[in-house]
Every structure is written in C-alpha cells, then in structure tokens.
Amino acid sequence: MSDFYTLQIASIVKETKNSVSIAFQIPDSLQHTFSHKAGQYVTIKHTINGEEIRRAYSIHSTPDSELLKIGIKKVEGGTFSEFANTQLNQGDTLEVMPPEGTFVVETDLSHKKNYVAFAAGSGITPILSIVETVLKEEPNSTFLLIYGNQSKLETMFHNQLVALATAYPTRFSLEFIYSRAHDEGERFGRIERSTVNYFLKNKFGDTVFDAFYLCGPEPMIDAVSSTLKDNGTS
C-alpha cells in the first residue's frame, strides 16, 4: 500500500463561493513519486476534531505543471470539504498519497482524434487536466467539452476554460449549460438525453467522435451513457 507524504500548500484559490483550488509544492525528492497522468486523483489524510478523515480528490493540473493542484467543492455536511474551503491556508500541510486511478488519457503526438467530455459540477476537475493535456500534446486532435452547472457563478474553472477556448479556437469547443440561470449564448437546462442528442446529432453532427469522457453526478453519467449506447457508441 502506498504511503502518505507531508506536502505544503503553495496556494489556495477561491474558484467559486463554494469551491477552492489547492496547489501543492512538490519537493525535488518526490517529483517522481508524485508524477501523474491527466485524470488521476490523490487521497488526502487529515485529522479534524480528533477524527482522521480521508478523502480522494482529482488533480486538475497537467502532468507537466510545477504544482500539483486539486479542486474541492464544499459539500453540505462534508467534514473535510468544509474545512478545506473555510480553514486551510497557504503554508499549511496535508498528508497526501501519490496519484492513482485509471480515468486517464494516453496522449500521442501522432493522434488525430476528436474527443468529447460531459462534465457537471466538480466533475470538471479531472476533465480540465485531460482537456488541457490533449490540446498541448496532440496538435491534430480536437476536444468538445459540455459542462453543466447551476450558474456561471457556480462554475469551477470558468475563466481558465474560456482562456483555453480562446487559445485553441479551432480545436476546443466549449459549451456551458446552466440549470438555474439564463445567460445569453449559453444553453439552459441539465445534461440529459436531449442535451446529448442536440450536441452530437445536431450542432456537432458532422463530427465523428473517437473518445468519450464522463464525470459528474451519477444520474448525469447514467443518462449520457445510456444515450451514447442507444446511438451506437460502445
């Protein structure tokens, strides 16, 4: 079993009212130990009010980043997520296990693929790393991201995603969906069967997608998965 290592928090950025991005500085001696693939996660261990808490959080930084970053959305009644959003500070330390997980992308310079990801809420965290890694490492590939939230104010990494869309205008298509806000130019509703069909059969109907990534609440994943299967995607 992997060990935990004490890592210092280099910075904490408030992404939304209810979420933060925590960046860890990785010592030179642990660079190999904490190398990761886009899409992986780390397990955090911390003692709060005398109770040891362990939680897994996805990495949103790319494998070539100097800092290892995780996103944490505050969950009502979530002991560690509330602690992370309200009490952690730059310079604090946490016990962190090396990256693991198989929800990853294997990039290749020669690939010419069309990727699509459906994400909702904090499910964007591993997807962000996957999107950015593909855009950087596969210059002939494209990526469509369909990302659902309650509103723009609740959208983690909104500015970073918009910046990526600006930097890769012909290769990265970004679609925001809001369930509780009407924003001009954005789709209203949730990611469900009709949403999948609209984007894949209509708006992007001329594109044949080679790889699919889903991350978010279970009902969303079930709805998207069943729709993709009904459309002949294995």
Side-chain angles (χ1 to χ4, degrees):
M1 183 176 178
S2 298
D3 295 325
F4 284 91
Y5 296 84
T6 302
L7 298 182
Q8 186 174 54
I9 296 174
S11 66
I12 297 181
V13 176
K14 197 77 173 172
E15 287 294 332
T16 68
K17 182 178 68 174
N18 295 307
S19 66
V20 292
S21 169
I22 297 177
F24 294 101
Q25 185 70 55
I26 309 299
D28 291 342
S29 60
L30 293 178
Q31 287 290 332
H32 178 72
T33 302
F34 279 88
S35 64
H36 72 281
K37 295 180 179 180
Q40 289 191 306
Y41 66 90
V42 292
T43 299
I44 306 291
K45 179 176 71 173
H46 195 67
T47 300
I48 301 175
N49 297 326
E51 179 185 3
E52 181 181 285
I53 304 293
R54 297 190 183 197
R55 296 290 186 271
Y57 293 103
S58 294
I59 302 167
H60 70 81
S61 52
T62 55
D64 62 354
S65 175
E66 293 183 1
L67 300 173
L68 186 147
K69 301 178 181 180
I70 60 174
I72 301 179
K73 186 173 184 178
K74 183 164 64 175
V75 178
E76 186 175 354
T79 303
F80 186 80
S81 68
E82 291 188 353
F83 173 79
N85 273 268
T86 60
Q87 298 185 49
L88 277 181
N89 296 293
Q90 179 180 347
D92 290 347
T93 60
L94 291 171
E95 298 298 304
V96 186
M97 190 178 287
E100 54 187 331
T102 58
F103 183 74
V104 299
V105 62
E106 300 285 356
T107 57
D108 189 297
L109 185 65
S110 66
H111 282 170
K112 188 176 182 179
K113 292 184 175 183
N114 297 314
Y115 296 82
V116 59
F118 293 87
S122 58
I124 189 61
T125 311
I127 298 296
L128 176 58
S129 180
I130 290 171
V131 168
E132 193 168 358
T133 298
V134 166
L135 294 174
K136 286 181 177 180
E137 299 182 3
E138 293 187 4
N140 297 312
S141 294
T142 70
F143 215 115
L144 166 61
L145 171 61
I146 298 155
Y147 180 22
N149 287 279
Q150 292 183 359
S151 67
K152 179 180 176 180
L153 291 177
E154 291 292 331
T155 301
M156 295 177 70
F157 311 118
H158 181 277
N159 292 341
Q160 189 172 343
L161 288 166
V162 170
L164 282 174
T166 301
Y168 300 94
T170 62
R171 297 178 48 222
F172 181 39
S173 299
L174 176 61
E175 300 285 347
F176 291 115
I177 301 176
Y178 300 135
S179 62
R180 296 188 182 180
H182 290 272
D183 277 28
E184 185 176 355
E186 313 297 359
R187 192 169 176 83
F188 179 77
R190 299 180 182 275
I191 298 178
E192 52 195 3
R193 177 174 293 269
S194 61
T195 314
V196 178
N197 287 328
Y198 168 72
F199 284 114
L200 300 192
K201 289 187 174 183
N202 294 287
K203 189 167 185 178
F204 296 92
D206 294 333
T207 302
V208 177
F209 290 99
D210 306 291
F212 299 80
Y213 289 87
L214 284 59
C215 194
E218 190 172 345
M220 184 214 78
I221 292 178
D222 289 343
V224 176
S225 296
S226 63
T227 306
L228 292 176
K229 289 177 182 176
D230 289 346
N231 290 341
T233 302
S234 58

